[in-house]
Amino acid sequence: MTERPTESGTDDTTGDTPAAGPGGRPARLLRRASGLLRWTSLRLRLVVVFALVALTAAVSASGIAYWLNRNTVLDRTQNAVLKDFRKSLEDSTRSLPPRPRCSELQDAARQIAGGPQNYTVLLIGTDREGKACAATTDKDLLTLKSVPKALRTAVNEVRPVDESNRYAHHLYWQRQEIGDVPYLVAGAKVIGGGPTGYMMKSLAAERQDLNSLAWSLGIATALALVGSALLAQAAATTVLRPVQRLGYAARQLGEGRLDTRLRVTGTDELADLSRTFNRTAERLEQRVEELSAREASSRRFVADMSHELRTPLTAITAVSEVLEEEADSLDPMIAPAVQLVVSETRRLNDLVENLMEVTRFDAGTARLVLDDVDVADQVTACIDARAWLDAVDLDADRGIVARLDPRRLDVILANLIGNALKHGGSPVRVSVHTEHPEHAEHPELTGDIADIADIESIEDIEATGEAGTGGGELVIRVRDHGPGIPEEVLPHVFDRFYKASASRPRSEGSGLGLSIAMENAHIHGGEITAANRPEGGAVFTLRLPMDASRLTDGGPGEGRKDGGTAGGSAEGNR
């Protein structure tokens, strides 16, 4: 009677995984991805983070589940097959003679393979004549050559019998693939001189079951990923909707709609943020209302004061004119005082007119009264009315007609030319030309002296002008031959009440002339810039549209609504 063989096992499936270094391309790609993630929207970041967490959890759970199920399925199938093979081998070979014939081995092999496990059997023995005999149930699948050499060696190995090892031979098994089909191969030698038996069991059904499980786990992972993305989208919407409303309210508040408020619901942090926004907006609205009321009160005070001063100023001006006419017949000791009164009265009258004009601009009541203006005639009339013909050199072609407010144009010209005569050097040159939108603007007159270092003369620029056109832009340049404007003064020449020298508080001008000129240019849709010429002197450039009708509410010919007159004093801020 043969002893029951003891089973042992080996597995030929081995492999290794390359170790990733501390740096390298994956690390750079990860850093780049994290950098891109910081610049994306908050909604996308939430979705990506939720998806990554869900993907990591799902893949980990699926991998563990697959590994556990794989081991369970393979171990259960393997144990059942090996147990059946060992028992069948022992039962079938028990009745065989020590040296069975090949036909007897073949019958035993068929008997062993006929069990419920449906595996292929190979029996190898020695007959009475000493010849080796191999009996197999499938010659195409299982032969001695198809059995792995390591398994054959382990099966034929004789182990010493002692207290820890009761049997000289054991049952060994190994998994291998033949033609992409996994098989379980096992072998054992019957103790007591019996034949050697090998078994090959297909694991294709188990592989199919594991593949189905893998697909199921993959689908579950994909569904978990989609679910996490939807959950992240819902969470992002819940969180970001109040933030979006807050952003929209902040933009509305920034555009001047101070009555903007947020609807507050809940008691979370976002609700506290909405309450804080509402309190801030309420306080801002109150503060702006207070400042607006103070500003309106200040404007009314200046306007009322200017109007109240006009009546006594009219009387004083009339008296001063009479005194000026009688200056030659007055006592020489009194004549200087009379002359001082006359000049200061005129200065005060100009200041009041300028203050009234500034008040109109601040109140938004200044309007254009448009007319077709021959610019050359307008400039000539402005110079002639102020007796500047000898001090001003005019370069203007006849026939340049623009639709502008002639009175406001006169104010601009009077202030620019008067400023050049007062603070610059004679002769003052006034040039008039037009530019079209397709002509590139010249950088030499933008206020930076470095931009005009390569320009030989203003005449080169003036030669590019075209006269007699109804479209484009009207350009008037006023150039003097003085020392120029100090660089620190250039940004402030159009500020109200600004004077370059603090030691001249009693200068002739009030510091409002250039500011009023700029306001009159703006109401036309134009601009005035100041710059220094490389060869010396300052140049002021006035740019106005050739037709300002589009700026009036009622089209061409729209009248003023303030009913006042613009100040025409020739004073500057230098």
Side-chain angles (χ1 to χ4, degrees):
M1 179 177 180
T2 59
E3 299 180 5
R4 173 173 293 187
T6 306
E7 65 183 69
S8 177
T10 60
D11 197 339
D12 65 346
T13 55
T14 60
D16 57 354
T17 56
R25 186 175 181 181
R28 290 196 301 271
L29 292 177
L30 184 60
R31 289 194 298 269
R32 184 177 301 175
S34 62
L36 291 176
L37 191 61
R38 287 196 299 269
W39 291 102
T40 55
S41 65
L42 180 58
R43 182 185 300 274
L44 182 58
R45 276 185 281 173
L46 285 175
V47 172
V48 170
V49 170
F50 268 72
L52 288 178
V53 171
L55 182 63
T56 302
V59 169
S60 300
S62 299
I64 294 174
Y66 180 80
W67 180 74
L68 292 176
N69 280 274
R70 177 181 181 274
N71 289 341
T72 300
V73 170
L74 292 180
D75 289 344
R76 182 175 63 247
T77 302
Q78 173 182 293
N79 293 336
V81 171
L82 293 179
K83 181 178 180 181
D84 182 80
F85 175 69
R86 180 178 56 191
K87 186 175 184 306
S88 299
L89 180 63
E90 182 179 357
D91 294 342
S92 299
T93 59
R94 184 179 302 168
S95 59
L96 290 176
R99 292 179 177 272
R101 294 191 298 272
C102 288
S103 59
E104 294 175 338
L105 284 177
Q106 189 69 39
D107 293 339
R110 291 193 186 97
Q111 184 179 359
I112 295 173
Q117 295 297 332
N118 192 25
Y119 44 74
T120 304
V121 177
L122 171 65
L123 293 180
I124 300 175
T126 304
D127 59 10
R128 295 183 179 88
E129 299 176 357
K131 296 181 180 179
C133 181
T136 178
T137 58
D138 190 344
K139 296 180 180 180
D140 296 331
L141 178 63
L142 181 58
T143 62
L144 190 59
K145 293 182 179 180
S146 62
V147 178
K149 182 178 180 180
L151 181 62
R152 296 199 307 265
T153 302
V155 169
N156 294 323
E157 181 181 1
V158 179
R159 298 194 176 197
V161 178
D162 52 26
E163 294 181 357
S164 60
N165 182 37
R166 299 173 55 189
Y167 303 103
H169 298 281
H170 296 270
L171 176 65
Y172 294 91
W173 59 270
Q174 183 175 335
R175 298 192 193 108
Q176 68 173 3
E177 286 193 4
I178 300 176
D180 294 334
V181 177
Y183 287 92
L184 174 66
V185 183
K189 187 175 183 65
V190 178
I191 299 176
T196 302
Y198 293 96
M199 177 272 302
M200 181 175 289
K201 167 68 175 178
S202 174
L203 299 177
E206 286 72 14
R207 168 182 279 185
Q208 184 176 0
D209 293 341
L210 292 176
N211 289 339
S212 299
L213 176 63
W215 275 104
S216 301
L217 293 176
I219 293 174
T221 301
L223 293 178
L225 183 61
V226 173
S228 67
L230 295 177
L231 181 62
Q233 179 71 15
T237 301
T238 304
V239 174
L240 294 181
R241 186 173 296 166
V243 176
Q244 290 173 347
R245 287 199 296 263
L246 179 62
Y248 176 76
R251 288 191 296 271
Q252 295 291 101
L253 195 66
E255 293 174 358
R257 301 179 183 178
L258 302 181
D259 58 341
T260 302
R261 298 293 185 273
L262 289 173
R263 185 180 63 182
V264 181
T265 56
T267 58
D268 54 5
E269 290 79 0
L270 292 175
D272 292 338
L273 181 60
S274 299
R275 293 189 187 95
T276 302
F277 176 85
N278 289 340
R279 289 194 296 267
T280 303
E282 183 178 357
R283 293 173 184 172
L284 179 61
E285 184 178 14
Q286 293 175 355
R287 184 62 175 169
V288 170
E289 289 177 354
E290 293 175 2
L291 294 176
S292 299
R294 292 179 184 177
E295 185 181 0
S297 177
S298 300
R299 287 200 300 266
R300 285 195 302 271
F301 172 76
V302 174
D304 295 342
M305 181 189 66
S306 301
H307 281 288
E308 292 298 327
L309 286 176
R310 292 186 71 180
T311 301
L313 271 178
T314 301
I316 294 174
T317 301
V319 173
S320 64
E321 290 176 353
V322 173
L323 290 177
E324 186 177 19
E325 293 175 357
E326 300 295 334
D328 295 338
S329 60
L330 295 176
D331 188 331
M333 298 295 293
I334 302 177
V338 171
Q339 189 62 35
L340 179 61
V341 170
V342 171
S343 62
E344 290 299 320
T345 300
R346 290 176 178 170
R347 181 172 177 270
L348 182 59
N349 188 64
D350 292 339
L351 176 60
V352 170
E353 294 293 338
N354 288 337
L355 287 175
M356 293 182 65
E357 184 70 7
V358 169
T359 303
R360 295 187 190 98
F361 283 119
D362 290 343
T365 58
R367 296 292 184 269
L368 293 174
V369 180
L370 300 181
D371 196 2
D372 292 330
V373 178
D374 188 307
V375 181
D377 292 342
Q378 181 73 22
V379 177
T380 302
C382 175
I383 297 173
D384 184 42
R386 293 161 179 82
W388 290 338
L389 288 176
D390 296 336
V392 177
D393 181 13
L394 177 61
D395 179 15
D397 294 332
R398 299 288 178 178
I400 300 179
V401 178
R403 188 162 187 81
L404 304 169
D405 188 327
R407 181 179 56 81
R408 295 188 181 277
L409 179 59
D410 181 77
V411 171
I412 299 173
L413 294 173
N415 279 289
L416 293 181
I417 298 174
N419 180 76
L421 290 172
K422 188 180 302 181
H423 302 291
S426 296
V428 172
R429 179 181 177 84
V430 180
S431 61
V432 180
H433 67 279
T434 60
E435 290 182 359
H436 290 271
E438 61 270 16
H439 293 170
E441 292 186 1
H442 298 287
E444 69 279 359
L445 298 172
T446 58
D448 191 351
I449 189 172
D451 292 338
I452 58 176
D454 297 330
I455 305 300
E456 295 182 357
S457 65
I458 294 297
E459 288 78 0
D460 295 337
I461 302 168
E462 294 166 358
T464 63
E466 298 182 15
T469 59
E473 193 175 52
L474 174 67
V475 180
I476 301 177
R477 290 190 175 91
V478 180
R479 174 169 58 93
D480 62 50
H481 289 77
I485 305 173
E487 292 298 325
E488 66 274 9
V489 176
L490 269 176
H492 306 286
V493 293
F494 297 104
D495 294 348
R496 293 178 182 177
F497 298 106
Y498 181 81
K499 295 182 180 181
S501 177
S503 63
R504 296 188 293 122
R506 294 290 300 169
S507 61
E508 297 83 352
S510 63
L512 288 174
L514 291 180
S515 175
I516 291 176
M518 179 66 81
E519 295 288 353
N520 280 290
H522 285 169
I523 200 174
H524 280 90
E527 186 68 34
I528 304 176
T529 57
N532 289 320
R533 302 174 64 247
E535 58 270 23
V539 56
F540 286 80
T541 303
L542 169 66
R543 294 179 179 272
L544 298 175
M546 294 295 293
D547 189 354
S549 299
R550 61 183 180 84
L551 301 175
T552 60
D553 296 337
E558 174 73 15
R560 287 172 54 93
K561 296 182 180 180
D562 54 3
T565 59
S569 62
E571 59 178 66
N573 295 24
R574 285 193 280 165

